[in-house]
Amino acid sequence: MVVNYSVKILLIEDNLAYARLLQEFLTQAQFQEFTLVHVKRLGEGLEELTECNYDVILLDLTLPDSDGLSSLPSLIGQAPSIPIVVLTNTNDEELAIEAVRQGAQDYLIKRQVNPDVLVRSLRYAIERKQLLESLRTVNETLQIRVEERTAELLKANELNQFKSEFVSMFSHDIRNPLNTILLAAGLLQNYDEKLTKEKKLNHLQIIRSSIKNMGQLLDEVSFIGKADSGRLRCQLLSLDLEAFCRQLVEEVRLMANEKHLTLVFASFGQLGEALWDKSLLRHILCNLLTNAIKYSLPDGVVRFELIGQEKTVIFRIQDWGIGIPKEDQKRLFQPFQRAQNVGSIPGTGLGLAIAKKSAEAHGGEIVVNSQVGVGTTFTVTLPLIRI
């Protein structure tokens, strides 16, 4: 039984009449895009999988040479990337649910199958399997990237003194989004038939957001590794510095508004035409501005001053937030170091390390003045290179 269409289905079903019925259902589909290959035994199905590629498997759970769940391990072992939809009788629904728990993507009760239900189940099974395979590949790739970049960072002399702490903190920070991805993917796989469309979309959004957070964390760690290995270069271009700073302020204003903070920007002195590295400036100022907002108390003020001098430019970012304990200020610019009083405020401890590396790459420096309960002021001084 072969109909030439794009989605290739392997049907393992010993009932010839029911196999013909499924083929008829597929021909009634609104979009004819299915090729059905029918075999009557599990052994024949396993042999077929060694010779041809399939997009999905339809599996009867009662076969002459296999019964119940015993068919699943063989099929999954033979073709782990191919989604499986099991077919069951009305009184075997619990068995079908257990099959889904053990690796099948969906199940169909034979008497309840119609063309729409069949096509929808096949398509959803393929989509879910592709998502899980994609997540598995992403996780493997991320693990390799973590190992490579961690090894690169550990070679830097400055980081060697706290190697154990660095690895422990990095592993902790990357494990959280990984666990979130695995949990959401598991819910999609095991409870798909019980989830509403809105909940499915929500789980997918959680997965995307977690992957994005992992990518951002890896990029930040890579940036520090690049700086420590001497590969961070300052690329100077002409830039309207005041306009650039005002744009950054607008970008973080929404974050400030959520805490009802007043965000103030002021510019002093003559800047004139000069050369700057836009990327390094963004790393410095975005990290300092977002930190000032993050650690400010609601209804407070964050002040950003740009001061042009004869040979230097000063960026001063001040908040009246929780402040930084004196004992923490000495190690504040080291990766993964955070003050003891941050509580549940989220953060990786990489932002200030990146800001310091960026300031140094630009030929400048960054200093902090802070007092617990009073607030914090970061002052960045960079050389003014006029055109």
Side-chain angles (χ1 to χ4, degrees):
M1 302 178 182
V2 179
V3 186
N4 294 319
Y5 293 109
S6 60
V7 177
K8 196 168 184 179
I9 305 165
L10 176 61
L11 171 62
I12 308 176
E13 167 64 70
D14 64 321
N15 188 322
L16 183 59
Y18 193 73
R20 288 175 176 167
L21 178 63
L22 292 180
Q23 178 180 320
E24 179 63 27
F25 284 165
L26 291 174
T27 61
Q28 296 175 26
Q30 183 177 0
F31 302 101
Q32 297 182 343
E33 52 183 358
F34 300 99
T35 298
L36 182 68
V37 174
H38 172 222
V39 297
K40 298 179 181 180
R41 302 288 189 274
L42 175 64
E44 296 173 8
L46 293 172
E47 183 177 352
E48 186 68 29
L49 289 171
T50 64
E51 299 176 356
C52 300
N53 293 322
Y54 288 88
D55 297 300
V56 62
I57 299 171
L58 273 171
L59 172 67
D60 181 17
L61 286 181
T62 55
L63 296 169
D65 59 341
S66 179
D67 187 60
L69 300 177
S70 60
S71 302
L72 273 178
S74 299
L75 285 172
I76 294 175
Q78 181 82 2
S81 63
I82 301 178
I84 299 173
V85 177
V86 297
L87 299 167
T88 182
N89 296 316
T90 306
N91 58 347
D92 288 332
E93 187 170 1
E94 291 186 4
L95 182 66
I97 293 174
E98 181 59 30
V100 171
R101 292 195 185 100
Q102 294 191 20
Q105 271 58 59
D106 203 353
Y107 71 92
L108 293 171
I109 299 175
K110 290 185 176 181
R111 291 184 180 180
Q112 298 177 5
V113 176
N114 59 49
D116 290 339
V117 169
L118 177 60
V119 172
R120 184 170 61 250
S121 178
L122 291 173
R123 287 176 175 167
Y124 284 177
I126 293 172
E127 291 174 3
R128 285 194 293 272
K129 190 65 174 181
Q130 288 175 342
L131 173 62
L132 291 173
E133 288 296 307
S134 175
L135 286 173
R136 182 181 62 80
T137 302
V138 168
N139 286 343
E140 291 176 353
T141 302
L142 287 173
Q143 183 177 354
I144 292 172
R145 291 178 64 189
V146 168
E147 292 172 355
E148 292 175 348
R149 297 187 185 189
T150 301
E152 179 183 356
L153 289 172
L154 293 178
K155 292 178 182 178
N157 293 330
E158 183 180 347
L159 295 181
N160 283 339
Q161 59 184 342
F162 57 96
K163 176 173 61 175
S164 297
E165 183 179 2
F166 171 84
V167 173
S168 174
M169 295 179 117
F170 183 74
S171 299
H172 175 270
D173 286 338
I174 202 112
R175 190 181 298 116
N176 287 335
L178 272 176
N179 289 338
T180 300
I181 290 171
L182 293 174
L183 176 60
L187 291 173
L188 286 171
Q189 176 182 354
N190 297 329
Y191 301 99
D192 178 77
E193 68 279 358
K194 298 180 181 180
L195 297 175
T196 64
K197 182 178 180 180
E198 182 179 356
K199 288 185 177 180
K200 291 177 186 178
L201 291 175
N202 183 55
H203 288 318
L204 289 173
Q205 184 57 43
I206 289 172
I207 290 172
R208 294 191 188 98
S209 178
S210 296
I211 292 174
K212 181 180 179 181
N213 290 340
M214 290 170 65
Q216 181 179 349
L217 179 60
L218 288 168
D219 287 341
E220 289 176 345
V221 172
S222 178
F223 181 94
I224 294 175
K226 189 175 181 180
D228 286 334
S229 61
R231 294 182 289 112
L232 189 61
R233 296 289 181 266
C234 187
Q235 300 177 354
L236 300 175
L237 295 172
S238 178
L239 179 68
D240 185 335
L241 188 58
E242 182 175 346
F244 176 75
C245 291
R246 290 187 183 277
Q247 178 185 339
L248 291 183
V249 169
E250 293 307 313
E251 290 178 9
V252 300
R253 191 173 294 280
L254 180 61
M255 180 182 177
N257 290 342
E258 290 177 350
K259 295 184 69 173
H260 306 287
L261 297 174
T262 300
L263 190 55
V264 179
F265 174 74
S267 179
F268 307 95
Q270 296 297 319
L271 297 172
E273 293 187 2
L275 298 176
W276 304 96
D277 186 309
K278 185 176 180 180
S279 176
L280 293 178
L281 284 178
R282 178 173 286 275
H283 279 302
I284 298 168
L285 299 177
C286 280
N287 277 305
L288 295 181
L289 280 171
T290 54
N291 273 1
I293 293 170
K294 185 189 301 184
Y295 298 112
S296 288
L297 302 176
D299 301 312
V301 176
V302 172
R303 184 173 178 84
F304 176 17
E305 294 181 348
L306 172 61
I307 305 169
Q309 298 182 333
E310 183 179 355
K311 295 183 179 181
T312 61
V313 169
I314 296 174
F315 305 88
R316 182 177 294 128
I317 297 175
Q318 183 177 12
D319 68 68
W320 286 264
I322 63 174
I324 305 168
K326 197 171 186 64
E327 59 271 21
D328 291 327
Q329 293 180 26
K330 296 179 181 179
R331 57 186 179 85
L332 198 61
F333 295 104
Q334 295 178 351
F336 293 111
Q337 300 300 315
R338 303 185 72 203
Q340 302 174 27
N341 62 333
V342 297
S344 60
I345 300 174
T348 62
L350 292 173
L352 289 179
I354 289 174
K356 181 177 176 61
K357 299 292 184 185
S358 299
E360 291 173 346
H362 218 300
E365 64 175 4
I366 178 172
V367 296
V368 61
N369 182 16
S370 184
Q371 185 176 343
V372 174
V374 177
T376 302
T377 301
F378 283 95
T379 303
V380 180
T381 305
L382 301 181
L384 182 59
I385 305 173
R386 298 187 184 276
I387 298 178

